[in-house]
Amino acid sequence: MAKGILLNARNHRNVPRDEYDDWYHTEHLPERSRVPGFLNAERWVDVHDPNVSVSVYDLESIGVLESAAYRAVGYDNISPWSKRIVRLSERLLRFEGTQTLPGEALSPSGSGGLLVNAMNAAAEGEADFNRWYDEEHIPALSAVPGTLLARRFCASDTSKQVYLALYHLESPEVVTTEAWARAVETPWTKRVRPFMQDRLRIVCRPYRQSD
């Protein structure tokens, strides 16, 4: 069965930083780590805005999010503390989906950077967009020096964005290299770019306790 992903990106500028960190590390992360089928957890920070946090959870399958164990701590059953955090912070992206590329690879440990790319595709160009992503874009960025793993996901819920790509990197600076630019700026990319909609792009570094 295909692996699943749960990704949350929030801007918590209106939450005291120490409270957000305490909530995440003493309640939110432990709750999810105890749910069977949650394989790992990562926390990232936007390199351009330290108030933006990204949490990534690899799942045995997307069905884990329908399990009784997850429903006991998620959705309508989140704690009063979680409700406060949700109310005070801004959701940028919540993505529940299934991994489509490459196979069943999981987030590599020790990554120094992460690129999050979520978007939709206009219906008239969606077929070409998907061929481009699968046949050119993911393979090309996978081959860029400093890319540790490139993966693609398709939403299984009502996320605003249907498609998500995650790139684990040696460092955030990989996306600024000439090799990255050459892999991105191709004729096929230019052809499908007008069909990209609702794009959210976040370049991240690992969260540190000193943040």
Side-chain angles (χ1 to χ4, degrees):
M1 185 176 293
K3 291 293 188 286
I5 197 81
L6 172 62
L7 183 146
N8 269 298
R10 304 195 74 88
N11 188 318
H12 49 83
R13 62 183 177 275
N14 294 323
V15 183
R17 184 69 55 82
D18 57 351
E19 180 185 1
Y20 190 89
D21 290 344
D22 286 346
W23 164 78
Y24 182 85
H25 291 286
T26 65
E27 179 181 284
H28 189 72
L29 176 60
E31 282 181 340
R32 277 136 192 83
S33 297
R34 289 192 293 267
V35 173
F38 272 67
L39 302 178
N40 54 40
E42 297 179 336
R43 183 179 173 190
W44 301 87
V45 178
D46 187 336
V47 297
H48 302 297
D49 185 349
N51 291 311
V52 172
S53 288
V54 177
S55 302
V56 180
Y57 303 94
D58 282 321
L59 309 173
E60 186 61 42
S61 74
I62 194 62
V64 171
L65 299 180
E66 297 300 324
S67 68
Y70 181 72
R71 287 189 170 278
V73 297
Y75 304 124
D76 294 336
N77 293 319
I78 61 174
S79 72
W81 197 3
S82 292
K83 289 177 181 177
R84 168 182 161 80
I85 297 296
V86 168
R87 176 172 54 84
L88 293 178
S89 61
E90 176 190 1
R91 175 192 287 183
L92 303 177
L93 175 66
R94 178 185 168 92
F95 188 95
E96 302 175 8
T98 298
Q99 185 165 312
T100 60
L101 284 175
E104 295 192 350
L106 300 177
S107 300
S109 60
S111 302
L114 180 74
L115 171 62
V116 177
N117 246 329
M119 67 188 74
N120 292 317
E124 64 272 21
E126 192 166 15
D128 194 33
F129 168 85
N130 281 316
R131 285 194 300 270
W132 162 76
Y133 235 122
D134 293 346
E135 298 173 17
E136 179 184 272
H137 197 58
I138 289 289
L141 292 180
S142 295
V144 171
T147 299
L148 303 178
L149 179 64
R151 293 183 292 171
R152 192 176 183 218
F153 304 85
C154 184
S156 58
D157 69 339
T158 56
S159 297
K160 179 180 179 180
Q161 288 90 348
V162 173
Y163 300 108
L164 171 71
L166 293 181
Y167 305 90
H168 281 79
L169 312 168
E170 290 182 355
S171 74
E173 288 72 33
V174 171
V175 301
T176 67
T177 63
E178 292 184 6
W180 187 276
R182 286 195 300 270
V184 169
E185 293 300 326
T186 70
W188 201 354
T189 302
K190 293 175 182 177
R191 189 174 79 208
V192 301
R193 189 170 283 152
F195 301 112
M196 299 178 187
Q197 299 176 343
D198 307 312
R199 187 181 181 195
L200 176 67
R201 183 179 188 269
I202 309 175
V203 181
C204 306
R205 58 172 176 77
Y207 167 81
R208 298 184 298 263
Q209 286 189 330
S210 60
D211 285 333

